Amino acid sequence: MGRRNMSMMRLGRCVAFLAAAAFLLPFTILLMVFDQQYNFTYSSKRIFYQESDFYKINGTLYAPAYTLTTPTNIRTKYLFENGTHDELLPSEKFLEVGARMDVRKDYLRSECSRLGLDSSSHKAYAWEYLINRQYHVIWCNIFKAASTSWMYNFNLMANYSAAFLDKTKEVPLQLARKKYARPTVEMIRKAQPDSITFLIVRHPLERLASAYNDKIVHAWPKSFHDKMGRRIIRKYRKVYGDKLTPTERYPVFEEFVSYVLDEARAKRTLDMHWTPYTDFCTPCKFNFDVILKFETLDEDQRFLIQMARLQDVVKPEWRNSGKGTNTLHNINHLYSRLKKSQLDGLYKLYRNDFQLFNYTIDNYYEIVQDDDNSNHG
């Protein structure tokens, strides 16, 4: 009888165990699915964020350099109590530049809405962005807008040494793309919550003049832009039979502008050095935390470096690779060669760049020639 009771008890325990297992099985499976999904998501983030070995120190991934939701007073206190670098802005100046950034962000959002450029009918473009997950910064690289300086900085942040970067013959952009994969729109938006997203802009016509001087006037022999210049001369150089005919071996500015405007009218892809940067970065489709301007670049980049805690990695220096005469000294001469209709065409081409970042073209109309002016010099 005792043995029978023991058997019944064991049977009861087995039944209870099976019943409990049957009850818990769906929850166990669900937990396993969630755990697998978590691991998959984390693994995906590692791939997406490009958190490979060069983004780690001793195998440890760094915490966000700056949390955008941190209250301003706490953030500012931390910045200055923990900073001993000469490059740091004093607290009053930091707050002043921060207020300037807020005005620029608000203005950009307002203009994007007014022009309808933030609507779903406009496609976001992510190709030229660089995402650094160790230092939590995202940059849209606009060529001829301090791009040389910040490509150098992003290469430093990718753990290339300064000694290597200063002596290498490799193109900085190609070096960078070995470390920073071309992102998708989704990748940028996933990285933004704990990152500082920024871009650097400059007056569209100053940028165009800089691109012309650097890539056309001083093109390397037999390079892509040298060959482009020869094609421009063949198509646009007029022979007047007198001293008014240009004699330069490179396209003069009015020939170059005619080429750019014709390419735009034909809806052909423009060279990246003079593509409108609102097409290049689609700033109405992403949220930018810092908008630097060429005109205030020294203060602006110090602010960015300080805000992102980059002062131990990069310096607020200006590594300008431009060749020949400084653009600011040369710009009046260049635009004095244009006709009013050409300036009208340039404004139409770069209209969004002007409007989104609060630039004006008015002063340039005082420089250009009237269309009925027969002076070609």
Side-chain angles (χ1 to χ4, degrees):
M1 186 73 179
R3 289 182 180 180
R4 180 176 183 142
N5 288 340
M6 290 289 293
S7 298
M8 291 297 292
M9 288 177 63
R10 288 175 181 171
L11 180 62
R13 287 175 184 172
C14 289
V15 171
F17 174 80
L18 291 173
F23 178 78
L24 293 174
L25 182 61
F27 296 98
T28 304
I29 294 173
L30 191 60
L31 285 173
M32 290 174 65
V33 169
F34 276 130
D35 183 62
Q36 184 177 5
Q37 182 64 36
Y38 171 81
N39 289 331
F40 174 78
T41 303
Y42 178 73
S43 204
S44 298
K45 285 182 179 179
R46 287 174 57 82
I47 297 170
F48 146 60
Y49 285 146
Q50 299 301 305
E51 290 173 345
S52 54
D53 288 341
F54 69 86
Y55 280 143
K56 299 177 182 178
I57 296 179
N58 296 327
T60 301
L61 290 172
Y62 271 65
Y66 168 72
T67 303
L68 297 179
T69 55
T70 303
T72 302
N73 58 338
I74 297 175
R75 179 177 77 235
T76 306
K77 181 179 178 182
Y78 183 87
L79 281 169
F80 294 103
E81 287 189 352
N82 291 272
T84 59
H85 292 257
D86 293 337
E87 295 85 1
L88 289 177
L89 295 171
S91 58
E92 296 80 6
K93 178 59 70 173
F94 181 86
L95 293 174
E96 176 188 323
V97 178
R100 184 163 72 212
M101 294 301 166
D102 289 340
V103 170
R104 289 175 183 174
K105 289 187 293 181
D106 290 344
Y107 186 88
L108 174 61
R109 283 193 292 265
S110 174
E111 288 298 289
C112 286
S113 177
R114 183 179 71 85
L115 298 171
L117 296 176
D118 55 357
S119 68
S120 58
S121 61
H122 292 274
K123 186 177 179 180
Y125 182 70
W127 192 248
E128 296 299 337
Y129 283 76
L130 291 89
I131 303 173
N132 185 294
R133 292 304 296 161
Q134 180 178 344
Y135 297 100
H136 295 262
V137 286
I138 303 171
W139 171 47
C140 184
N141 169 34
I142 297 174
F143 291 94
K144 307 312 300 177
S147 57
T148 301
S149 301
W150 279 92
M151 194 63 69
Y152 181 86
N153 290 340
F154 264 70
N155 279 332
L156 285 176
M157 287 188 281
N159 284 356
Y160 290 113
S161 71
F164 169 77
L165 293 175
D166 290 339
K167 71 180 181 181
T168 184
K169 300 298 182 183
E170 288 194 65
V171 177
L173 177 59
Q174 293 176 356
L175 284 174
R177 286 304 177 193
K178 291 178 181 179
K179 302 289 190 176
Y180 303 98
R182 298 271 186 187
T184 64
V185 172
E186 183 185 23
M187 290 163 67
I188 294 174
R189 289 180 176 155
K190 284 184 177 179
Q192 280 193 304
D194 69 344
S195 299
I196 296 172
T197 306
F198 75 97
L199 81 169
I200 307 170
V201 299
R202 70 188 296 185
H203 192 287
L205 299 189
E206 184 181 323
R207 174 175 173 251
L208 180 67
S210 177
Y212 165 75
N213 184 60
D214 191 31
K215 298 300 177 183
I216 301 298
V217 175
H218 294 93
W220 289 101
K222 298 183 180 180
S223 67
F224 171 80
H225 288 102
D226 180 55
K227 294 174 182 177
M228 176 190 290
R230 296 176 187 276
R231 292 197 303 271
I232 293 173
I233 289 175
R234 286 196 297 268
K235 183 173 181 180
Y236 294 96
R237 180 153 297 179
K238 297 178 181 178
V239 178
Y240 299 101
D242 55 29
K243 294 182 180 179
L244 297 177
T245 301
T247 58
E248 289 85 352
R249 62 171 181 79
Y250 51 81
V252 293
F253 193 56
E254 61 269 30
E255 295 168 341
F256 168 70
V257 169
S258 293
Y259 162 77
V260 171
L261 293 178
D262 282 349
E263 291 292 290
R265 278 190 285 266
K267 300 189 182 304
R268 287 188 281 268
T269 301
L270 298 181
D271 186 282
M272 59 189 177
H273 294 89
W274 48 83
T275 296
Y277 46 77
T278 44
D279 295 337
F280 212 59
C281 295
T282 53
C284 292
K285 304 299 290 185
F286 299 101
N287 292 321
F288 283 89
D289 304 296
V290 180
I291 300 170
L292 298 84
K293 284 194 171 185
F294 216 68
E295 297 78 13
T296 53
L297 186 58
D298 181 64
E299 286 184 353
D300 291 356
Q301 65 180 359
R302 288 175 189 272
F303 174 85
L304 172 63
I305 289 169
Q306 198 162 333
M307 185 178 179
R309 312 251 199 271
L310 298 176
Q311 56 266 29
D312 292 325
V313 187
V314 304
K315 303 296 180 184
E317 56 186 349
W318 197 336
R319 305 176 69 90
N320 188 356
S321 67
K323 313 175 190 77
T325 306
N326 187 286
T327 301
L328 294 177
H329 296 159
N330 198 30
I331 195 166
N332 283 1
H333 168 70
L334 291 179
Y335 281 94
S336 69
R337 302 181 67 103
L338 299 188
K339 299 300 181 74
K340 179 179 178 297
S341 58
Q342 289 181 300
L343 188 59
D344 289 339
L346 289 177
Y347 183 73
K348 181 179 179 181
L349 174 59
Y350 296 107
R351 182 190 301 272
N352 289 336
D353 290 0
F354 277 99
Q355 294 182 334
L356 293 181
F357 298 97
N358 200 20
Y359 286 110
T360 179
I361 197 173
D362 295 345
N363 292 340
Y364 286 82
Y365 280 103
E366 300 174 5
I367 301 173
V368 296
Q369 305 173 30
D370 292 330
D371 283 280
D372 59 355
N373 192 334
S374 61
N375 179 20
H376 301 281

